[in-house]
Amino acid sequence: MTSALPELVSYLEGLPEPHILFDRQYRILAANAAYRRQFSPDASVLGRTCHEVSHRFRVPCDQAGETCPLVRARESGQRERVLHLHHTAQGEAYVDIELVPLRDASGEQTCFIEKMAPLRVAQGEPAAAGLIGRSPAFARLLEQVARVGPSNASVLLLGESGTGKELIAHAVHEASARAAHPLVVVDCASLPESLFESELFGHERGAYTGAHAARPGLAEAASGGTLFLDEVGDIALAMQVKLLRLLESGTYRRVGSTELRRTDLRVVAATHRDLKAMVADGRFREDLYHRLSTFPIRLPALRERAGDIALLAVGLLARVAPQRRLGLSRQALARLGTQPFPGNVRELRNVLERAALFTDGTLIDDLQIEQALAADGPVAPRVPVRAAAPPEAGPSLREMASAQLQARLDAHHGSRAELARQLGISERSLYRKLRALAPRE
């Protein structure tokens, strides 16, 4: 291996992707320019361990709660792939790792080559765009995206509403060789059966009343790229047959035409419905289900990745109020962490947007979070308009928040301690809010 090292190092240096060569003790023997730029631009990595450079770990990955590709390669005797969260010059980022063991003349594994491909659609820290998370459930989701993305396999995204299925569809598309071509979204739930065929396949002039000109469909627009069928469970049975033909043969006919057309596309579908149950009930074609679910991915609910709520909250806040540079107090983050969020990430985003509107300063506290959460409860009585206000003016945001708290107080017949527990705040915080409600002398 030593005699081949210079040639091997020269080969790695010419590769565009980050590569390192390291020994059985995890010590880096060689690192190409791409690796040095991304992971250690200001210091040498030679002689240091891969887990120190990439993770800031003092021990190997498998001793720090991660999956170590070297350990897996020793056990399997073959190349291994894992998804890790690495420290880079741009911050923490998810990296798809492929490790290949190298053997000496006796067949013993002596060195390992590791190739790293950043998963650019996800971050392990707050960001203004893309997927955000660090929890094990989120990491497993991304690992599946990294596996299926480069292929042409059909992907079926399953999960509750609000879990981010369209974002994952974009991630699958961006990880594919089709990323330079369009991702075309078909909102199946909003298209009536009478328009679905025309929207998907297009129509010729005079095909029906109002068709004054020929028009290409979404399947044609997606050629070379990805067709995302959102809420695919809402497609009528009659249309499912024609969709199946498109997926199996890549062919279709515009409405009003006998000409067979071809398109080259990859399909990603999504639904919150139980398609297997719909197949059993005869509401969804079994052959179409199997054609769509070549690679099913279940998206975790937010309650399954509670450790990501703080990261998501900071990132989402930057999206809903980009000009205000708002922050979240520890108490606010703690309050968010106690919520079940049945509406998942979409509900979290709504709460943060409301909390931003309730906030006058630059820091959102638990009071504003409580006000935002209470907005989903019973409608509070309106606060009378002050005399100084114009007749058409409504209550201010602060008055609305006070009214919501007053409504909860009026409806509660137990102790103050019990009310504080229901609101998810301390008794001290509750008394502070009640003092603010009291009329001033």
Side-chain angles (χ1 to χ4, degrees), residues 152-315:
N152 270 321
S154 297
V155 178
L156 179 61
L157 304 176
L158 305 167
E160 299 174 9
S161 293
T163 49
K165 289 187 281 292
E166 186 166 347
L167 282 175
I168 295 297
H170 278 274
V172 171
H173 175 68
E174 291 297 324
S176 73
R178 298 173 176 267
H181 298 278
L183 180 141
V184 177
V185 179
V186 183
D187 187 355
C188 303
S190 68
L191 285 176
E193 183 177 349
S194 58
L195 292 179
F196 185 87
E197 185 177 8
S198 175
E199 286 292 312
L200 186 60
F201 302 128
H203 61 257
E204 296 295 345
R205 180 182 179 183
Y208 53 84
T209 303
H212 302 300
R215 179 186 173 191
L218 298 177
E220 187 171 340
S223 188
T226 302
L227 187 71
F228 175 45
L229 300 170
D230 196 13
E231 293 303 343
V232 71
D234 290 351
I235 299 177
L237 275 170
M239 291 298 102
Q240 291 178 25
V241 181
K242 298 181 179 182
L243 176 61
L244 179 63
R245 184 184 304 118
L246 171 69
L247 302 186
E248 288 187 334
S249 66
T251 62
Y252 65 97
R253 290 183 175 88
R254 287 182 179 180
V255 176
S257 172
T258 59
E259 179 187 353
L260 194 65
R261 294 174 176 266
R262 294 188 177 274
T263 186
D264 169 31
L265 51 79
R266 187 218 194 137
V267 171
V268 177
T271 183
H272 71 281
R273 301 185 184 278
D274 185 346
L275 290 189
K276 286 187 176 180
M278 293 179 67
V279 169
D281 293 343
R283 292 178 291 137
F284 200 85
R285 292 182 62 95
E286 184 175 10
D287 46 7
L288 179 58
Y289 168 76
H290 290 300
R291 184 64 183 80
L292 292 170
S293 62
T294 302
F295 196 93
I297 299 178
R298 192 187 75 83
L299 277 67
L302 189 53
R303 61 183 173 275
E304 299 174 61
R305 40 181 302 212
D308 289 338
I309 288 179
L311 290 172
L312 282 164
V314 175

Side-chain angles (χ1 to χ4, degrees), residues 330-352:
R330 287 187 180 180
Q331 294 82 359
L333 290 173
R335 181 65 185 93
L336 289 171
T338 66
Q339 278 297 109
F341 289 114
N344 296 294
V345 179
R346 185 180 294 125
E347 181 182 357
L348 173 60
R349 181 188 175 109
N350 290 346
V351 169
L352 290 167

Side-chain angles (χ1 to χ4, degrees), residues 46 58 98-99 102 106 109 132 168 193 205 229 253 310 312:
L46 299 184
R58 294 183 178 180
E98 183 176 8
L99 180 140
L102 303 180
S106 66
Q109 295 180 1
I132 307 169
I168 295 297
E193 183 177 349
R205 180 182 179 183
L229 300 170
R253 290 183 175 88
L312 282 164

Side-chain angles (χ1 to χ4, degrees), residues 96-109:
D96 189 20
I97 297 171
E98 183 176 8
L99 180 140
V100 179
L102 303 180
R103 303 176 185 275
D104 60 16
S106 66
E108 182 181 357
Q109 295 180 1

